[in-house]
Amino acid sequence: MKKYIRLKIMLPLILILLSITSLIVFNIYSGKKVSTKNYSSFSEDIKHNRVDKIYLTNSPKMTIKLKDGSTYKTDNPRSSDFKEKMLSMNIQVSENSNSLSLVNTLSFIIISSAFITFILSMKSPSFASNKLKGVDAMELSASTEKKYTFNNVAGNEEAKESVQDIVDFLKNPDKYARYGARMPRGIILYGEPGTGKTLLAKAVAGEASVPFYAMSGSDFVQVYVGVGASRIRNLFKKAKSHGKAVIFIDEIDAIGKKRASSQSNGNDERDQTLNALLTEMSGFNDNSGIVVIAATNRLDVLDSALLRPGRFDRHIEITLPDTSARENILKLHFKNKPIKNIDFKDWSKKTSYFSGAKLESLANEAAIIACKNGDPFITDIHMDTAFSNVIAGYEKKDRSSITDIDKKITAYHESGHALVSMLMLPNESVSKVTIIPSTKGAGGYTLSVPEDRLYQNKSYLEKRIMVLLAGRASEEITFGEDHITTGAYSDLNQATDLALKMISEYGMGNSMGLLSASAVMNFIKPPSDNIINECKDYINDLYAKTKNLLNSNKHILENMSLQLLARETLYTDNLDEILSDTNYKM
Ligand code: ADP
Ligand code: ZN
């Protein structure tokens, strides 16, 4: 590509040089041949009717061609009636010089060179982007590789759902404009590496049939101040030239990390780049059809300026795939490969905590092994070898090394939360229980939709504490008192906080009665021992109640945990089914 650009600049230059050289050579050469005669000799030639043609220009000399074919130069009389006189004597007069003047020639050459350059550029597929290259010659053309759609993204159903309206907006911006709807300008996809963030961004562009421009945050971070900012501007200029586009910025944290306020002289280059990005994003109007999708492994490290409304205001988590998603991803990557008797369900179970990228590399590795062996089909035998290779290729600290016992503990812990929530707070639907780690929880997490209420009564808060305690309670019931884990750390923190507030601030306990501990603190030290003791008894009570509840419904807890272990994620429907299958006791 770069060679081609250089050629395009060099070619006209070479042309100009060649032309000038040949013109000079020609002039020297022709100068030798054409002799000069004085005006009286010319008058003689006229008198004897030997002149055939006169080449007349504005120059001090004119060229005379005789009937015998010879030519010479003589002084140009430059009188107004000269031409008329000659014509009347039947001598041809040409006012076009027989040789182009140097100036004319040069301008001709320059204009034609410019023309040639233009034609060459038009033919080049990246004509427009070349205009941007100038300073740092970065590759900026829209990706022209194969078109991606949502069919290329397996699993990630929630994320696909979340970007569906962006696709619709890109397809029919007018529809949204008519309703005065403002579409998100920026979306952040966050999650572990290899979970398909880039893939999803490509699919959005593909589904909407708009160009896809991708750059990485690290491309913008340069040694020279201002280069990153100018790259940002070029990127947007290029995308806007299409009207609609998806701009993808991978590793957004490279430019959008939180600024350390203590450092007065921060990183100028990064700040300028970030500012350029924010300016560009606020620059395009609401329905311009440009959507910026950024990706990061961590949302919490990003500068809050980036996350404000009108900027990257939609945040979508891309999690590691669960069992059924892994099965689909494997099927997708084996679609065009010759396979025999591969049990995808089985492989999806063996590949816990594998990312999409890792599953893809498993499929690829198996294909390579089968190919090397010259086997006609890829089978479980190749898969086994590939699996060991892939596992060995990834670091030890990788999630896939999470032991089966850890998985089991997580499953029982989360099932405890989910079951107690469903029994005690039936109005709060549990939308998802998972043992796939994410930013919401290192081991797994249970998501419920809280009831929208202005006031929370004592009984509700007690139930909330029970739900928080249920993870630990389930661990204890299942594995015994000696095998409880640190997994309940955050639950206990929240439960303690809630109980303390109930007793010392909400007037729901005995030690403080209706007094507020924080108000008391303005005058005297509140009776913290009493509060702590009451809080401890209170939580212990609720813990005992939680364990009782789980014990009386142990069959459900067992069933739910086993299903969670197998499928790794359970949704409302699955949970309702589990609960409705069995009789539960309150
Ligand atoms: P990220 O941007 O999150 O690091 P990528 O989108 O680059 O991940 O994923 C790398 C590759 O892994 C993809 O090109 C694809 O082959 C595979 N992959 C990842 N997630 C999925 C998925 N959900 N479905 C199908 N393939 C996936
Ligand atoms: Zn928990």
Side-chain angles (χ1 to χ4, degrees):
M1 192 64 205
K2 267 188 190 156
K3 253 187 202 162
Y4 188 55
I5 297 163
R6 219 172 286 147
L7 184 71
K8 273 191 307 188
I9 299 168
M10 292 303 286
L11 200 64
L13 269 178
I14 293 168
L15 271 175
I16 292 174
L17 278 176
L18 267 178
S19 315
I20 292 174
T21 320
S22 52
L23 199 74
I24 291 170
V25 170
F26 173 77
N27 267 2
I28 293 169
Y29 177 68
S30 56
K32 264 181 198 156
K33 201 184 168 195
V34 180
S35 58
T36 312
K37 288 184 182 172
N38 58 26
Y39 198 77
S40 54
S41 320
F42 168 65
S43 305
E44 280 295 299
D45 284 338
I46 296 279
K47 220 189 273 173
H48 293 102
N49 199 18
R50 287 195 289 257
V51 176
D52 177 39
K53 195 170 179 178
I54 298 172
Y55 295 97
L56 206 57
T57 63
N58 278 335
S59 56
K61 297 276 182 199
M62 59 185 180
T63 306
I64 313 300
K65 189 180 167 210
L66 298 182
K67 282 177 178 156
D68 66 4
S70 64
T71 55
Y72 62 89
K73 283 187 174 180
T74 190
D75 290 314
N76 186 348
R78 283 176 170 168
S79 63
S80 52
D81 57 350
F82 176 74
K83 187 177 175 182
E84 194 190 346
K85 256 196 245 166
M86 294 299 117
L87 287 173
S88 62
M89 286 191 296
N90 235 350
I91 295 169
Q92 298 177 58
V93 177
S94 162
E95 283 194 282
N96 287 331
S97 158
N98 65 336
S99 65
L100 293 162
S101 79
L102 194 66
V103 177
N104 283 346
T105 314
L106 275 182
S107 39
F108 171 76
I109 291 167
I110 289 168
I111 290 169
S112 50
S113 305
F115 185 69
I116 290 168
T117 314
F118 181 70
I119 293 293
L120 277 173
S121 317
M122 287 296 280
K123 277 189 183 161
S124 144
S126 54
F127 166 62
S129 65
N130 286 332
K131 285 195 290 187
L132 305 171
K133 288 201 164 108
V135 201
D136 46 357
M138 63 175 173
E139 199 55 62
L140 240 193
S141 40
S143 137
T144 45
E145 46 181 331
K146 84 174 216 259
K147 191 177 151 166
Y148 284 86
T149 67
F150 285 150
N151 289 336
N152 300 105
V153 187
N156 278 332
E157 296 305 329
E158 289 150 281
K160 277 195 258 182
E161 187 66 43
S162 307
V163 293
Q164 189 62 57
D165 57 343
I166 305 288
V167 173
D168 193 36
F169 158 72
L170 283 168
K171 277 184 176 163
N172 321 294
D174 298 343
K175 185 173 103 186
Y176 287 84
R178 210 153 49 81
Y179 289 91
R182 181 184 71 76
M183 284 313 294
R185 292 170 187 183
I187 300 167
I188 291 192
L189 304 178
Y190 65 99
E192 304 226 355
T195 42
K197 298 181 288 295
T198 313
L199 192 65
L200 187 66
K202 279 184 190 163
V204 168
E207 289 280 337
S209 304
V210 303
F212 179 75
Y213 290 94
M215 284 199 83
S216 172
S218 52
D219 294 339
F220 296 110
V221 181
Q222 297 294 317
V223 189
Y224 302 108
V225 174
V227 173
S230 98
R231 284 186 172 179
I232 291 269
R233 286 190 288 271
N234 287 342
L235 176 63
F236 277 81
K237 197 161 126 196
K238 178 81 186 90
K240 278 192 236 170
S241 71
H242 281 273
K244 293 181 189 179
V246 168
I247 294 178
F248 179 68
I249 303 177
D250 203 0
E251 299 174 41
I252 185 81
D253 34 306
I255 48 174
K257 255 211 190 90
K258 274 190 187 111
R259 290 173 241 212
S261 49
S262 53
Q263 275 178 301
S264 51
N265 58 338
N267 184 336
D268 270 358
E269 163 63 2
R270 219 191 54 203
D271 289 356
Q272 278 200 20
T273 309
L274 180 58
N275 286 339
L277 176 64
L278 296 178
T279 311
E280 286 295 336
M281 288 186 72
S282 46
F284 47 81
N285 67 41
D286 292 340
N287 295 302
S288 67
I290 308 272
V291 171
V292 188
I293 303 182
T296 179
N297 297 341
R298 289 178 60 190
L299 194 61
D300 55 320
V301 299
L302 294 183
D303 196 310
S304 58
L306 212 54
L307 307 177
R308 257 175 237 147
R311 292 164 177 180
F312 289 98
D313 47 9
R314 189 182 286 194
H315 312 147
I316 300 172
E317 181 170 22
I318 313 287
T319 53
L320 286 169
D322 61 19
T323 320
S324 88
R326 289 199 301 272
E327 188 181 336
N328 291 334
I329 295 173
L330 279 173
K331 278 182 184 160
L332 190 74
H333 288 292
F334 275 109
K335 210 165 75 186
N336 298 317
K337 297 182 172 75
I339 49 166
K340 204 170 199 173
N341 301 333
I342 293 184
D343 185 345
F344 289 117
K345 230 184 195 71
D346 190 40
W347 279 106
S348 72
K349 284 179 190 145
K350 287 184 195 162
T351 48
S352 291
Y353 308 114
F354 268 45
S355 66
K358 217 160 145 184
L359 291 167
E360 192 272 338
S361 95
L362 173 66
N364 190 47
E365 188 77 14
I368 290 172
I369 293 166
C371 174
K372 266 195 200 154
N373 292 356
D375 297 332
F377 297 103
I378 307 168
T379 65
D380 270 344
I381 296 170
H382 310 115
M383 286 293 279
D384 279 328
T385 319
F387 184 72
S388 321
N389 292 355
V390 171
I391 291 269
Y394 284 82
E395 288 173 57
K396 281 265 187 315
K397 69 175 170 68
D398 197 274
R399 284 272 159 67
S400 34
S401 62
I402 292 179
T403 59
D404 283 348
I405 181 71
D406 284 341
K407 256 181 95 172
K408 200 170 163 194
I409 292 168
T410 310
Y412 277 89
H413 179 108
E414 295 306 328
S415 294
H417 285 307
L419 181 55
V420 171
S421 176
M422 290 170 81
L423 296 176
M424 299 306 288
L425 300 165
N427 292 334
E428 295 197 352
S429 104
V430 177
S431 52
K432 183 179 177 181
V433 192
T434 182
I435 55 171
I436 300 282
S438 95
T439 53
K440 295 187 195 79
Y445 58 94
T446 302
L447 265 190
S448 60
V449 187
E451 235 184 308
D452 219 359
R453 291 217 310 231
L454 189 52
Y455 302 113
Q456 294 170 328
N457 61 31
K458 188 177 172 189
S459 139
Y460 171 82
L461 292 176
E462 277 183 357
K463 288 171 182 167
R464 275 236 60 88
I465 294 176
M466 285 176 72
V467 172
L468 285 166
L469 296 174
R472 162 61 67 86
S474 173
E475 283 182 45
E476 193 190 318
I477 290 171
T478 315
F479 305 103
E481 221 171 313
D482 295 339
H483 294 92
I484 48 175
T485 69
T486 52
Y489 163 80
S490 145
D491 298 334
L492 297 180
N493 188 303
Q494 288 180 58
T496 309
D497 184 69
L498 205 51
L500 272 174
K501 279 192 181 130
M502 287 172 76
I503 292 164
S504 64
E505 302 295 336
Y506 303 155
M508 293 176 179
N510 296 322
S511 314
M512 294 299 294
L514 290 174
L515 300 187
S516 146
S518 54
V520 168
M521 205 136 68
N522 292 332
F523 303 96
I524 48 163
K525 203 173 147 286
S528 37
D529 283 356
N530 294 357
I531 297 177
I532 289 291
N533 285 334
E534 187 182 352
C535 185
K536 209 162 96 186
D537 292 344
Y538 190 41
I539 289 202
N540 275 343
D541 259 12
L542 290 173
Y543 186 63
K545 267 174 95 176
T546 309
K547 277 201 292 188
N548 276 339
L549 183 67
L550 285 176
N551 264 323
S552 10
N553 296 285
K554 209 168 170 198
H555 54 299
I556 308 180
L557 181 69
E558 196 75 24
N559 185 7
M560 193 183 284
S561 305
L562 290 178
Q563 293 212 30
L564 191 52
L565 260 179
R567 292 153 82 166
E568 294 175 0
T569 306
L570 299 175
Y571 297 93
T572 315
D573 292 351
N574 313 128
L575 293 167
D576 286 346
E577 210 174 297
I578 293 169
L579 208 61
S580 67
D581 273 0
T582 23
N583 299 321
Y584 55 86
K585 298 185 199 91
M586 292 294 284

